[in-house]
Amino acid sequence: MAERDVRICVIGDELVIGVGDARGIGWLGRVISRTPQRDIRLSAFPLAVPRETTTALAARWQSEAALRWRGPDEGPQAGAVEPRLVIGLGMADLRHRTTTARSRLNLANILDAADVAGVETLVIGPPPVAPRGPDGGHGDAVGELSAAFADVCHRRRVGFVDTWTPLSTHDDWFADFTEGDGRYPGQAGYGLLAWLVLHAGWNEWLGVDAD
């Protein structure tokens, strides 16, 4: 069997690159390290911008991802690449008072453009924030935003990983924030995010068999 060249572009905010993780690998590194890679050459390219809104994300993702799916020195043979897109959504829309309708539309535009381009997409919903952190005041608004994103994905039959529901009542998730500055999770928190992604159909989405 020929080796598959699968390139995953992961767009989103600073959680994509694991800010606050002492190991420096975040949830993405943990997920990739646990993904079976027989007969597959798997590459993951995190394209993160701190505190980015969905409006800004929708405006930039295509040009940046295209360079990773087909590098500037690659010819027509690059068509053998399997492009994949992971969208790691955060809560920047709440900070910038983006309306829910606009947030939904921005995500819908990204998903529709990816579908037209033949790119398989997976969406990671925003996790809850620490109550004592500077963004803790948003509270249940993050959950409402997550539900709106989930509905957009459901309507388009795109996989959605709900991180809000299981983590909003998870003591270990919030306890992990107390070891840092209260703004980002640490090793335990990113481990929880990775577990959720891995157990939400990650291998099936990639078309790989679990060990």
Side-chain angles (χ1 to χ4, degrees):
M1 181 181 297
E3 184 180 63
R4 297 164 55 202
D5 183 2
V6 179
R7 300 183 189 178
I8 307 173
C9 286
V10 188
I11 56 177
D13 64 10
E14 59 268 36
L15 291 184
V16 167
I17 58 172
V19 171
D21 179 12
R23 293 183 62 192
I25 59 175
W27 66 262
L28 178 59
R30 288 171 170 82
V31 167
I32 296 300
S33 68
R34 297 173 190 171
T35 302
Q37 298 189 33
R38 294 185 299 271
D39 302 317
I40 182 173
R41 183 166 70 252
L42 186 62
S43 305
F45 302 93
L47 308 176
V49 173
R51 297 184 172 232
E52 184 174 44
T53 65
T54 56
T55 301
L57 183 62
R60 74 162 174 102
W61 78 271
Q62 284 180 286
S63 60
E64 294 191 19
L67 289 174
R68 278 76 182 181
W69 291 327
R70 181 169 177 174
D73 297 326
E74 292 182 300
Q77 73 275 12
V81 168
E82 291 185 35
R84 300 272 174 158
L85 180 68
V86 172
I87 307 172
L89 296 169
M91 53 165 291
D93 282 7
L94 296 177
R95 299 187 188 103
H96 292 269
R97 299 184 179 180
T98 304
T99 65
T100 301
R102 171 54 63 181
S103 297
R104 291 175 59 99
L105 179 60
N106 289 335
L107 177 58
N109 287 340
I110 296 173
L111 297 180
D112 290 345
D115 182 59
V116 169
V119 177
E120 295 285 341
T121 306
L122 180 68
V123 178
I124 315 298
V129 293
R132 76 178 184 88
D135 298 313
H138 289 298
D140 291 341
V142 182
E144 295 169 3
L145 183 62
S146 177
F149 288 145
D151 183 62
V152 172
C153 292
H154 176 73
R155 292 172 182 269
R156 285 161 174 75
R157 298 183 179 180
V158 170
F160 179 83
V161 181
D162 176 13
T163 66
W164 162 263
T165 301
L167 294 181
S168 61
T169 57
H170 201 298
D171 290 340
D172 290 343
W173 168 258
F174 291 109
D176 200 39
F177 282 82
T178 65
E179 298 180 8
D181 61 4
R183 297 177 59 190
Y184 301 109
Q187 294 187 54
Y190 281 110
L192 289 170
L193 287 173
W195 190 93
L196 291 172
V197 173
L198 286 166
H199 288 80
W202 174 262
N203 288 340
E204 293 80 2
W205 177 67
L206 280 176
V208 298
D209 295 325
D211 292 328

